[in-house]
Structure formats: structure tokens, C-alpha cells
Amino acid sequence: MNVNQSAPPVPPFGQPQPVYQGYHQSSYGGQPGSTAPTTPYGAYNGPVPGYQQTSPPSVSRAPPSSEAPPASTAQAPCGQASYGQFGQGDVQNGPSSTVQMQRFPGSQPFGSVPLAPVVSQPTVLQPYGPPPTSAQVTAQLAGMQISGAVAPALPPVGLGYGSPASLASASGSFPNPGLYGSYPQGQAPPLSQAQGHLGAQPPQRSAPPQASTFTSPASGGPRMPSMTGPFLPGQGFGGPSLSQPNHVSSPPPQALPPGTQMTGPPGPPPSMHSSQQPGYQLQQNGSFGPARGPQPNYGSPYPGAPTFGSQPGPPQPLPPKRLDPDAIPSPQLNELPPQQKTRHRIDPDAIPSPIQVIEDDRNNRGSEPFVTGVRGQVPPLVTTNFLVKDQGNASPRYIRCTSYNIPCTSDMAKQAQVPLAAVIKPLARLPPEEASPYVVDHGESGPLRCNRCKAYMCPFMQFIEGGRRFQCCFCSCINDVPPQYFQHLDHTGKRVDAYDRPELSLGSYEFLATVDYCKNNKFPSPPAFIFMIDVSYNAIRSGLVRLLCEELKSLLDFLPREGGTEESAIRVGFVTYNKVLHFYNVKSSLAQPQMMVVSDVADMFVPLLDGFLVNVSESRAVITSLLDQIPEMFADTRETETVFAPVIQAGMEALKAAECAGKLFLFHTSLPIAEAPGKLKNRDDRKLINTDKEKTLFQPQTGAYQTLAKECVAQGCCVDLFLFPNQYVDVATLSVVPQLTGGSVYKYACFQVENDQERFLSDLRRDVQKVVGFDAVMRVRTSTGQSWLEKSRLGAKPGREASGIYDICSPDPIHVVSGIRAVDFFGAFYMSNTTDVELAGLDGDKTVTVEFKHDDRLNEESGALLQCALLYTSCAGQRRLRIHNLALNCCTQLADLYRNCETDTLINYMAKFAYRGVLNSPVKTVRDTLITQCAQILACYRKNCASPSSAGQLILPECMKLLPVYLNCVLKSDVLQPGAEVTTDDRAYVRQLVTSMDVAETNVFFYPRLLPLTKSPIESATEPPAVRASEERLSNGDIYLLENGLNLFLWVGASVQQGVVQSLFNVSSFSQITSGLSVLPVLDNPLSKKVRGLIDSLRAQRSRYMKLIVVKQEDKLEMLFKHFLVEDKSLSGGASYVDFLCHMHKEIRQLLS
């Protein structure tokens, strides 16, 4: 089968042939008070005139550092807002590039730049000289308007914005005025996508746009012509230029007040693009409008809006909105110099809006199924609900890529600096409308594979010689087809049974593995669950032990099962511990459970085999008796010290003795300070923050836990850890074993049964019931490069200098030259070599992120192929192979790369890259590297793909126009820029949490959803439309729901109508609402039912239970809520979206000059 040809419509699948016994094919045909610190960026005064065209490349100018004063080392008390109390962490992340570019300091001008007068600030806030007040910054950024035109014959791909002057470093830290400090008035601009000029001009309708420009309000200077070529539809013969939402340029000249003297730099001349790549088509800037789909037959002149196969085209733009710049209030005009009084702040509606992009994608691509038959097709956004039809490529629910069009050469990839990565979720849960992967049983012969590279049979394999042989699509090796697998070919060269076999027609499927794929050539036993409960004083006093034992009585009836079996095959065992361990014999023949104590924790062993791991249904009475007795046995304990590593060691030894894989559920409350292996000390030191030693806070305290994790992986022992700390417990060290074994960590700080019971039990139920693959090994294979294909046609032997591809069963490496190969991996797993990802356990929430590099030149015609193979043991003890295949396009033009990128996946990769970077590098270095890489990506686009335009314009690719706002959210995350209230454990907890997140989870985590509740009709069953995450979007007469996947806030405005308050809270006035309320009263009225239903719906979408917190306007908890309004300045010194966009423009201009 030619990789290039798209699969024809799938006919109803036929019946299994007589020789394929055991092939499961049941339904194959129809698959179903204080002031925040000033902005870290300086004044934005418009384009810089006459900047130097060349800079000495040998001079490395590092930006000066700016550090916050050391915070107090005091631990946050239980009453204080924290991750554990209000939900699980709120952090964000980002990546660093391997080779750091030299960055020019913002303080070095590229010419004479008259800056506006500034107000003196304390020296700690002056890394680049005195910055202006926030009022002056917003005033200097004002006066922008949306305009521009598109040359219809050129492909649209960019997005443009305005030009900064000398700006401060993005990585500067600022003192935190406290969790409950107040934001300055008017700090954040109002949001939503502007659709017209910032001036009194007649509304005009624009053509569907594809790029955006954003120009600074400079006065004077030559400007690019506003339009070239023939008139576009809807444009008159006179009047202003065509209105486009993504173009922001200077307003028309305004009359100056008498006596006003205009000063400042003239506008720069149009920039000339040097070193233009030959043959690269320049991209004309347009405006917002999705161009996300693949262009398989893309010619030089882009013929128009893409059709994306069966996907609908972009929507018609809305009529432009008339905006009068004089109607926008200028902040504190009496404090500004005369030359600034005519300027106005940037309208946030004129810069890219995540809400608008998400809404457009839902409207354009949510109604039609996403059919995977076309190679290199960009899927809908993760925020869009859509149906997937598998026709040869894996669903985006399993694999998402940073780009679906890969550069053919490594030089081109290095030039663009766009990371080539895939976020893989091998066991992802599918919606009910989509069929789970089909299970194929080839009997004793096992799955058919390539003899050379060991790739598994897939739809891209090419059958030749009448079907007697096939050519591997990964390494081009010619293989014989086994007699029992032979089938004739039709007139197109496809097997006549192609649509009867999942491995020949679908992108995702499973094989039943033979005994050759099992340890010691022996089929595995069903896995086991061991519950290990801390019974120290803290656990008993908080009520945790009693609550847990009561829940386990019923929860054990819902262990995961497969294939509709009546009961689960999983066996269970129980251990309690403090300084010593207590094992329990719950054999069904016993009248009462028996306890055995192991006090020698230095040499851990399992005191019993028979009766420790039992079947729940057989030992129901004994288990119930044990769970009743445990809280009573330890009710009077005074033991406060605990051990930790020996507990995991005991569980692992028990699984080893039972010769099975399994999972340990640990419920732990305190720092393990008892004398035992893995003993820890309190090393919490906030004085290390913003120093070179800060990285030690994220590193494990001892190497004993890595060694223990390695042993657990070898045994297939996965560890899930539930933490209930009242103070520092060193999450960075305790989470090592869960992280390396593919497990999860849950954290409930200052646990109280009445407040945290619902969240803990919900997480526990979901964790116990979810389907898990045990003792897993994952391998990602890639197709070969062009030079190797040419050699193979001449009969050359494979070279041994390239990456090794190891058979899962065979110890002998077989080396194949790859066009691209997997070089780096991110997630919760262990790797003993460079290719195999080993997971003691893998569930449907975990992802593995893989980065690829070029080994050889890729072929534009054949594209690039990925195959992810996961070998695992199911919950029923069955050994299986799950296969996911994906075909990507390859390109020789940068414009095609930028047109087919996915920003959400890019941010997911960059966040994980940065979060791993803080283990080995100072946080400031990681932040600077993120900014530099982002600037390089956008500068390369501006230089090689965008049409010539003024240097005062920031041009962004259409598919990456949200990269600055999302990257700023990552930079402001608590891992990379913590506030004073964020504990060391909080940062370590969120760092490991994000490592395994999928693209949808990082999207909402870094840019939370803010939903107004009273603006949509009560009778509407749909979710209310979201608004941008900024304080200026809040109306004091409304109620808002904010969620980020870990936290859920209900913000109540002070002027909400009394009837709404009564309907929702059952109180008569705003003042009577209890701040911090975590449960809404169940009331029989439409509004109460709608809000509670919406909260339940949001919780069902997330992998962890989100605890509700009611926040009243002007209440002390409001500062915690405002932490999630990510488009505003943060109290920890993070920049607002507008300021960061201007800073990115400055960085890009420095790279281009």
C-alpha cells in the first residue's frame, strides 16, 4: 500500500476466514490592599529607529539577573491557602533548548531611543534601569488599531503585533507583597477578539484571513502600502484599508492639543529580509482564521481556504466593530508627560485571544467526524469535542504531534527550532461513541513483524509479488509472507482482505502476545493490589484510617475487570505500618484475620505467603472483619514516627513471592524520620529560592529511592502514593518511586475529614477502578531516511552507526538508519537503555512524550512514519501488544512546517522540558532558555515566511499565534516563578504531576477556563461560553466558575442580584455567603440545578476531583483566585499578557538584527 494514497471509504468488514481462528471481530464493521510590583518589562515606546544591522556575533551578552529577596523559611500553616488545601497545585512549566542562544540585554539600545520619563522605584526592581509605572506602560502601548490587507494570491500564515523599545528581562523575579495583596486598578486590559479599526471608520467585511500583524503606535516615518493587488471582496474603492482582526497598526493622525510638542523616534523603514531561502514562498499576513489542516497537494500559490478533507472551511468573519480610540480611558493622564497624553493603552481585544481561537475551532471542526485516512492531517484542538473515525492513522486521543509536517533535513529543523515531538497516551480512554482497539489473535505464530527492524504489521506495509512478500514501510526490508497469512492482491495492489484485518486497515489495534513475549517464557499471573496504611498518631487522629477502612469495604467490589466478567481476577492484600510493619493473613478458611509484625525494617521480608494475597469474593467476611478492627486496634497509638522505603520494599517482595505484577496503594502522613533505610531529614530551605542551589529542592535527598524504584520496575510493582501532610514531607524524594514506576501521587495538605473527604474518596475510587497495564515496555519506531532507502534498493547492508532497534524478545540488537529517531522521553517511567520505556504500571491518564531528531534526510513523497508498540499485562493477566501507527508529511519549505504546527502540544512539550530542566539548572536559566527558544521559532518565521513589512510589526504564524500567551503562563507557573505562599512540597508535587499530563490537561492547567454563570439562559443545557482569564473580564454583578483541572473556584461579585444569591446559596444577601464554602446547598430551583450540574460535568472531564471553593469579591481568598487569572500581572512578578507580547517582539527584533 502506498503511504501517500488515502484509504478509500471503509466497507463493512467481512467475516473472519476459517484459518484465522480466535480473531475477535464481533462488531468490526460499524465501530462505534498591597500594590503589585511593577511589570518586569520596561516601557514600550514603539519601533526603534535605525538599529544596527549587524552585531558582533562573538560577544555574549547575558541579561543581568534580578532576584527577589529571600523569603521566610516558615512553613505555611494549615489555615493558609495552599495546594493541598484548595486543590492540587497550580503550576506551570516550559522547556529549554539544548544550545542556548546569546541574548542581547534589553538595556542595550540599537540606536538612540528616547524613553518616556519614569518614576523612581526601589533598586531591587531595576534590573535594566528604572521602569515606568504600570499606568505609563499601558499608556505608551496605546493607540493601536487593527488594519492591513491580504494579497489574495499568497498563502496566509502569520499574525502580527507591535514593537517594543528597551525592555527588561523576562526572567526577573520580584518581591511578593503577599497572597492577599491587591492588583492595581486597570492593570489588565479587557478581552475578546477585536474585529475592526480603532477609529471612527466605516465598517467593512474582510476576507477570511490567515495571519496577523500588530504594529506599535509610532509617529511619522514611511509605512508599507496598506494593500496591493486587486480589491478584495467587500472592499470599497475609497476609504480606509481592509479591516482585519489580527492586524494592529498605527491610528490615523490625530489633531494635537495646542502647545503639545510631539517627540519620539520616527517609524522605521520597511525591513528588508536578508538571506531569504531560495524557493521559499513568502507568506502574506492576514488576520484570524484557522488554517490548521494539511495541504497534501499544496502548490506555490495557495489556492484558497483549505478543505481538510471532510472538514468544513473557516467561518465568515464577523462585521468589524467600530472602536473610538478617544473613548478608551487613558490611565492617570495628569501624571503623564505632555507627549504621552495622546496615547492610549493597547486594546486586548486586538491581540490573539485563546477563547476566540478555541471557539472558532469548535465551530469549524466540531460538527464533522475527524477521519484519519489522510496523512499528516492536523486534528481539531483538544478543546473541541469531535468524533474520530480510524481509517489507518491513530486517533489524536492516542498521539498528538507538535507538527504534522516534519522538515526533510536536520538543517531546516535547526533553523526553525520547532521541537519535533509526539505526546503519546497508549491506553487512552475513548468516548462511548468510539470503538476500543480490536484484539487480533494470530495463534502460536504470534504477530507478523519485519525480520530486520521488528516493526509490526500495519496499514503502510506494501505487499508485492502477488501477495507472497511484503516490503517494510520502516526499513524497506523485503519479507516473506507466512503461508497461513497469504492472501491475493486486487488490481490496486491491496490485499483483498485488507478491510477484514484491523492491522491492515486501522491505525490502532492489539495483538495477543505469545509466550515468547513473557518473562521467563511463562504466561503471567493476574496482578494484585496491596493496600498499605499508615496507622501513626497523625493518621488516626485525623480520622483518615477509619474513613479509608470504611470505604475499602465497598470499593473492593469494583476492582477493574475485563470482558464483562462477573468478578475481577485481581487479588488483594493488606499491610499497616508506623515504625514497624503489620502483615495480615485473611485466608478464607480463617474465622478472624491474623496479624504478623515485622520489626526488623532494615532487612525486610514477607512473613507469610499463603493467605496474604486473596480473592475478594472468597475472603469477603475475613476482609470485612479486618477493616472493622484496624481503626480500633490503633485507636490509642502514640507512635508519631514512620518508615517509608521498607514499606515499598515489603510490597515488592510480596509480589515477587507471588510471581505476579501489581500495584501498591500507600497512604502516608509524615516525613519518614524513624531509623530505617530511606530515612529523611527536613531540608526545607526557602533561602535557596532564586539561587544556583534551588535545583537541590527538586532533587531526591538520597539515591536509595532510585535503587528501590529500579527493583520495583523489574518486578512490575507500581506504586500509587496518597499523601496527607500537616507539614513538610519532602515530596521531591517520596515521589521518586511512584514517578519511576508509572504511578501517581495525590496530596491532601492538612487533611480534615469534613472538608476533604469527598475529594480523597473520589480520587481513591477512580484510582482503584481504572484499567491499568502492568509490567509494560514501550518502543517507538520511525521510518528510514532517503539515503538509506537508496542504499537498500542497491542491496546494501544496514549501517551500524545509527540508532539501535531491539526486539522486545531478542537480546540481539539490529541497527537501522532512521530518518528521524526518538532521542528523548518525558513522563513517569524508567529507562535502562536508550530505546525502551519501562513501566511497572500504565493507566489511561498517563502520557509519554517523545522527542525526535534527524538521523538522515527524509523523503517528501513518502513522508515519515511512527509506530508505538506497548507490550503489557492486562488486569486479567493476559499479555498483549497495543500498536499505534501515524503517518506524517515531510516538507522542504518552512512555511509548510509552520502551517501544520499545534501550539497546545508544543506547550505540553516545552513545559515538561522546562520542569525537567529545573533538576539540573537554575530556574532563571530555564526561564531564559524558554524565552530564547520561543523567540527563535517566531524570528525564523518572520525572516523566512512572512511578507516584507515594517520592523514595528510582530508577525506570528497563524497556528502559533497563542504561543506567547501560553508560554507566559508557563513562565509564571509556581515551579518557575513561585510566590511567597507556595511551599517547596507544592512545587515538587506539581512538577511531577505535569510530567505525565496529556495535552488537554496542560492546556486547561496553564490557561484556566473562566465561565460566567448568569449571562446564559438558565434553561440552556450547554456550557456557558468562556471568557478570557483576566480580572477586567469580571463583573461584580455576576458569578463565575474557574477551573484548571486541579482547582475549582466559584467567584461571587459583590453586586449579584439578591434572587440569584437566594437561589444558589439559600441566604438572603451577599454578606451572608460563607467564604471558602466547598459544597453548594442542594436546592430545588433551575439555577441551583444548572450550576451544580455544570460543576459535576467539569469534574467528570478531569482525571482528579476538583474541590470547590466559593470566593467572595474583596474577600481574602480572592488573591488565591486571582492567581489563576493568567493574562494579568502576577503577585510573584510574572508579566501580563500584553507586556510579555511586547517583550517577545523585542527579543525577536534583536535576533533579526
Side-chain angles (χ1 to χ4, degrees):
M1 169 182 175
N2 187 349
V3 176
N4 283 322
Q5 66 185 115
S6 58
V10 181
F13 295 101
Q15 298 300 319
Q17 302 183 21
V19 294
Y20 308 124
Q21 297 300 324
Y23 168 46
H24 300 226
Q25 199 176 8
S26 57
S27 59
Y28 194 7
Q31 45 182 316
S34 302
T35 308
T38 55
T39 170
Y41 308 120
Y44 180 70
N45 288 336
V48 181
Y51 50 79
Q52 299 171 349
Q53 293 299 322
T54 58
S55 296
S58 61
V59 180
S60 174
R61 307 184 184 99
S65 63
S66 160
E67 298 179 354
S72 167
T73 59
Q75 179 70 25
C78 294
Q80 179 178 322
S82 68
Y83 283 105
Q85 180 180 0
F86 295 117
Q88 304 153 49
D90 42 273
V91 179
Q92 324 185 1
N93 12 357
S96 55
S97 74
T98 326
V99 180
Q100 284 205 24
M101 263 198 77
Q102 297 174 354
R103 298 176 58 222
F104 300 103
S107 59
Q108 178 180 356
F110 286 86
S112 170
V113 186
L115 294 175
V118 295
V119 179
S120 176
Q121 299 288 343
T123 55
V124 69
L125 297 176
Q126 295 181 352
Y128 288 86
T133 63
S134 59
Q136 289 169 327
V137 171
T138 53
Q140 291 159 6
L141 292 174
M144 303 196 173
Q145 75 181 45
I146 309 164
S147 65
V150 184
L154 292 178
V157 188
L159 173 78
Y161 298 86
S163 144
S166 178
L167 298 178
S169 165
S171 61
S173 301
F174 291 82
N176 190 338
L179 177 65
Y180 305 128
S182 60
Y183 278 72
Q185 291 299 318
Q187 151 197 314
L191 307 151
S192 93
Q193 199 65 22
Q195 298 288 339
H197 286 279
L198 287 173
Q201 299 171 352
Q204 300 181 13
R205 182 171 288 276
S206 65
Q210 285 275 323
S212 20
T213 18
F214 179 76
T215 317
S216 64
S219 58
R223 297 187 62 80
M224 294 296 293
S226 62
M227 185 165 180
T228 57
F231 287 102
L232 296 177
Q235 180 184 5
F237 287 89
S241 60
L242 190 64
S243 163
Q244 293 182 2
N246 287 9
H247 288 253
V248 183
S249 57
S250 302
Q254 303 179 12
L256 299 179
T260 301
Q261 181 179 7
M262 289 301 292
T263 62
S271 63
M272 301 305 292
H273 296 272
S274 58
S275 64
Q276 191 69 257
Q277 290 181 312
Y280 281 31
Q281 176 68 46
L282 286 178
Q283 304 298 306
Q284 180 67 27
N285 306 320
S287 58
F288 288 114
R292 301 182 51 79
Q295 313 300 331
N297 303 313
Y298 172 73
S300 181
Y302 186 49
T307 60
F308 312 136
S310 64
Q311 313 299 329
Q316 292 301 316
L318 298 173
K321 180 169 60 179
R322 295 180 62 179
L323 296 174
D324 182 3
D326 292 319
I328 303 176
S330 294
Q332 304 169 10
L333 281 178
N334 58 339
E335 298 180 8
L336 300 181
Q339 68 268 26
Q340 292 185 2
K341 291 186 179 179
T342 57
R343 294 193 173 192
H344 305 278
R345 67 182 187 181
I346 290 180
D347 179 5
D349 291 349
I351 59 180
S353 162
I355 303 304
Q356 188 64 49
V357 171
I358 290 170
E359 191 62 30
D360 289 344
D361 192 78
R362 284 176 177 167
N363 294 335
N364 297 340
R365 310 194 65 185
S367 57
E368 294 290 331
F370 178 70
V371 182
T372 69
V374 180
R375 184 182 79 188
Q377 190 175 194
V378 181
L381 298 180
V382 290
T383 47
T384 299
N385 291 323
F386 59 97
L387 190 67
V388 178
K389 290 189 176 179
D390 188 341
Q391 290 191 0
N393 284 291
S395 163
R397 305 191 203 285
Y398 293 123
I399 304 179
R400 279 188 177 265
C401 297
T402 54
S403 178
Y404 290 81
N405 209 326
I406 296 179
C408 282
T409 65
S410 59
D411 290 342
M412 185 175 167
K414 290 174 184 175
Q415 182 181 9
Q417 287 290 312
V418 176
L420 303 178
V423 180
I424 305 174
K425 198 175 183 182
L427 298 180
R429 293 184 307 277
L430 302 180
E433 303 83 21
E434 298 176 19
S436 298
Y438 290 91
V439 181
V440 181
D441 186 0
H442 284 310
E444 293 183 1
S445 61
L448 185 59
R449 307 175 68 180
C450 171
N451 291 329
R452 177 191 289 154
C453 71
K454 303 301 180 184
Y456 293 88
M457 179 57 64
C458 71
F460 308 120
M461 298 290 190
Q462 184 71 43
F463 287 87
I464 57 177
E465 298 182 16
R468 289 186 293 274
R469 307 177 84 186
F470 71 92
Q471 183 174 25
C472 176
C473 53
F474 291 91
C475 70
S476 299
C477 176
I478 306 297
N479 298 269
D480 292 329
V481 174
Q484 71 272 17
Y485 198 77
F486 172 79
Q487 187 55 271
H488 294 285
L489 309 183
D490 63 13
H491 65 285
T492 65
K494 295 177 72 74
R495 284 173 56 119
V496 296
D497 66 343
Y499 295 111
D500 296 330
R501 290 187 174 274
E503 73 271 24
L504 299 181
S505 57
L506 298 178
S508 300
Y509 43 88
E510 287 195 335
F511 292 115
L512 286 184
T514 62
V515 72
D516 298 328
Y517 292 82
C518 303
K519 284 183 179 178
N520 305 320
N521 285 337
K522 179 182 176 182
F523 282 112
S525 303
F529 284 176
I530 303 178
F531 297 90
M532 317 190 85
I533 306 169
D534 179 353
V535 289
S536 64
Y537 175 75
N538 286 335
I540 296 294
R541 186 193 61 176
S542 67
L544 168 65
V545 174
R546 187 174 299 278
L547 175 69
L548 175 59
C549 290
E550 283 298 321
E551 177 63 25
L552 287 178
K553 291 179 190 176
S554 57
L555 185 55
L556 293 178
D557 291 329
F558 298 96
L559 298 177
R561 62 196 73 185
E562 287 185 350
T565 56
E566 291 186 5
E567 62 181 46
S568 173
I570 293 175
R571 294 171 292 167
V572 299
F574 300 90
V575 174
T576 58
Y577 68 94
N578 39 49
K579 287 175 66 174
V580 297
L581 275 72
H582 321 104
F583 292 80
Y584 296 93
N585 185 344
V586 286
K587 193 173 182 180
S588 57
S589 58
L590 296 175
Q592 287 292 322
Q594 297 175 348
M595 176 198 286
M596 297 186 182
V597 180
V598 176
S599 56
D600 185 6
V601 292
D603 185 17
M604 183 50 58
F605 66 97
V606 181
L608 77 161
L609 297 179
D610 187 31
F612 179 65
L613 295 178
V614 298
N615 182 281
V616 174
S617 59
E618 294 176 0
S619 299
R620 161 67 62 192
V622 188
I623 292 174
T624 302
S625 175
L626 171 66
L627 295 174
D628 284 335
Q629 293 179 38
I630 286 176
E632 307 304 328
M633 279 192 291
F634 300 98
D636 298 326
T637 184
R638 289 294 178 263
E639 185 57 70
T640 57
E641 293 186 355
T642 59
V643 295
F644 187 75
V647 182
I648 298 176
Q649 181 80 30
M652 190 257 298
E653 294 291 345
L655 294 177
K656 183 183 292 186
E659 296 184 347
C660 68
K663 179 183 283 193
L664 311 182
F665 295 85
L666 256 74
F667 305 90
H668 192 77
T669 60
S670 59
L671 190 70
I673 58 174
E675 284 299 330
K679 175 185 176 181
L680 302 179
K681 61 182 181 180
N682 190 331
R683 55 166 186 163
D684 189 17
D685 186 1
R686 294 185 61 86
K687 294 178 182 177
L688 298 180
I689 294 177
N690 293 324
T691 70
D692 288 345
K693 292 185 178 180
E694 183 176 6
K695 60 189 176 185
T696 61
L697 298 176
F698 298 108
Q699 297 169 351
Q701 195 175 135
T702 169
Y705 288 95
Q706 281 103 325
T707 304
L708 182 58
K710 182 178 179 180
E711 296 174 6
C712 287
V713 171
Q715 181 51 44
C717 172
C718 176
V719 179
D720 280 359
L721 176 60
F722 293 78
L723 286 171
F724 306 86
N726 290 331
Q727 54 189 356
Y728 176 77
V729 292
D730 199 350
V731 173
T733 303
L734 296 188
S735 65
V736 166
V737 177
Q739 177 82 3
L740 293 180
T741 59
S744 305
V745 179
Y746 300 83
K747 180 168 170 283
Y748 311 88
C750 304
F751 179 81
Q752 295 177 325
V753 170
E754 57 274 15
N755 293 331
D756 301 297
Q757 168 180 336
E758 188 177 5
R759 181 160 68 99
F760 163 56
L761 294 182
S762 177
D763 287 341
L764 176 62
R765 289 166 190 154
R766 196 176 189 281
D767 196 55
V768 169
Q769 295 176 31
K770 63 186 175 186
V771 175
V772 181
F774 294 97
D775 205 6
V777 181
M778 192 184 93
R779 167 77 58 81
V780 177
R781 292 179 172 86
T782 53
S783 55
T784 54
Q786 186 173 1
S787 63
W788 166 246
L789 288 175
E790 293 167 355
K791 292 176 186 176
S792 65
R793 292 190 186 105
L794 299 175
K797 298 292 184 184
R800 301 191 65 85
E801 71 281 5
S803 60
I805 295 186
Y806 297 78
D807 184 357
I808 289 178
C809 309
S810 168
D812 300 320
I814 302 174
H815 292 265
V816 176
V817 178
S818 296
I820 56 172
R821 63 186 172 96
V823 295
D824 210 351
F825 300 83
F826 306 84
F829 53 78
Y830 175 77
M831 293 188 74
S832 58
N833 56 46
T834 58
T835 55
D836 290 335
V837 175
E838 301 175 45
L839 305 113
L842 176 67
D843 58 56
D845 298 326
K846 299 290 192 305
T847 64
V848 176
T849 301
V850 186
E851 184 183 8
F852 301 97
K853 298 282 187 186
H854 283 74
D855 259 355
D856 196 7
R857 179 183 176 87
L858 292 169
N859 190 307
E860 193 171 9
E861 293 181 4
S862 58
L865 300 177
L866 308 178
Q867 184 179 84
C868 167
L870 177 75
L871 175 66
Y872 71 99
T873 301
S874 72
C875 290
Q878 197 174 53
R879 202 68 172 153
R880 291 184 177 182
L881 282 153
R882 178 166 289 198
I883 312 296
H884 299 297
N885 304 288
L886 185 64
L888 303 174
N889 286 326
C890 296
C891 60
T892 55
Q893 295 194 0
L894 286 168
D896 293 326
L897 166 66
Y898 283 101
R899 187 179 291 109
N900 291 278
C901 288
E902 190 179 63
T903 301
D904 292 329
T905 309
L906 194 59
I907 288 294
N908 179 283
Y909 163 83
M910 296 177 86
K912 293 173 180 177
F913 195 43
Y915 276 16
R916 188 177 66 181
V918 299
L919 290 174
N920 304 305
S921 303
V923 171
K924 182 182 182 300
T925 302
V926 173
R927 290 170 48 81
D928 288 344
T929 308
L930 275 183
I931 295 172
T932 300
Q933 183 174 14
C934 181
Q936 288 172 334
I937 292 171
L938 300 178
C940 176
Y941 173 82
R942 171 66 185 263
K943 180 178 180 181
N944 298 288
C945 304
S947 58
S949 59
S950 164
Q953 288 181 323
L954 169 61
I955 314 287
L956 300 177
E958 176 63 21
C959 288
M960 289 187 182
K961 63 190 176 189
L962 298 182
L963 185 59
V965 61
Y966 286 161
L967 181 66
N968 189 38
C969 295
V970 173
L971 292 171
K972 292 198 293 184
S973 70
D974 288 338
V975 170
L976 299 183
Q977 195 168 35
E981 78 286 355
V982 181
T983 68
T984 305
D985 275 348
D986 288 338
R987 299 177 72 194
Y989 170 67
V990 179
R991 194 197 72 80
Q992 64 82 29
L993 193 63
V994 171
T995 304
S996 297
M997 279 187 178
D998 66 11
V999 179
E1001 288 172 324
T1002 53
N1003 173 269
V1004 74
F1005 180 70
F1006 289 116
Y1007 193 94
R1009 284 204 294 173
L1010 185 62
L1011 307 173
L1013 299 184
T1014 58
K1015 292 182 179 178
S1016 57
I1018 293 181
E1019 61 275 6
S1020 173
T1022 59
E1023 246 177 41
V1027 297
R1028 293 170 70 168
S1030 171
E1031 187 177 359
E1032 289 200 2
R1033 297 291 155 170
L1034 302 178
S1035 165
N1036 60 5
D1038 203 352
I1039 297 177
Y1040 295 83
L1041 200 59
L1042 183 144
E1043 65 116 355
N1044 75 337
L1046 299 179
N1047 305 277
L1048 191 61
F1049 294 94
L1050 188 70
W1051 184 87
V1052 185
S1055 302
V1056 172
Q1057 295 177 4
Q1058 181 180 347
V1060 172
V1061 172
Q1062 183 71 45
S1063 298
L1064 209 51
F1065 300 100
N1066 201 27
V1067 295
S1068 57
S1069 67
F1070 172 81
S1071 61
Q1072 293 177 305
I1073 299 174
T1074 303
S1075 180
L1077 190 69
S1078 58
V1079 179
L1080 292 180
V1082 179
L1083 303 175
D1084 188 15
N1085 64 71
L1087 180 61
S1088 177
K1089 291 178 180 177
K1090 177 181 177 179
V1091 173
R1092 286 183 287 110
L1094 177 60
I1095 291 173
D1096 291 341
S1097 171
L1098 295 178
R1099 285 171 172 165
Q1101 297 172 22
R1102 306 300 170 203
S1103 61
R1104 301 194 176 211
Y1105 184 89
M1106 296 184 292
K1107 179 182 175 182
L1108 178 69
I1109 302 173
V1110 174
V1111 178
K1112 296 167 63 177
Q1113 187 176 7
E1114 306 298 336
D1115 185 80
K1116 63 178 182 178
L1117 281 178
E1118 193 178 30
M1119 284 302 101
L1120 180 66
F1121 171 77
K1122 288 180 178 179
H1123 177 77
F1124 298 95
L1125 301 179
V1126 290
E1127 289 200 15
D1128 299 338
K1129 300 181 186 72
S1130 69
L1131 291 176
S1132 57
S1136 69
Y1137 175 20
V1138 171
D1139 292 340
F1140 184 73
L1141 194 64
C1142 298
H1143 180 75
M1144 284 307 304
H1145 190 188
K1146 183 209 70 171
E1147 294 283 329
I1148 293 168
R1149 294 185 62 187
Q1150 288 181 350
L1151 289 174
L1152 292 176
S1153 60

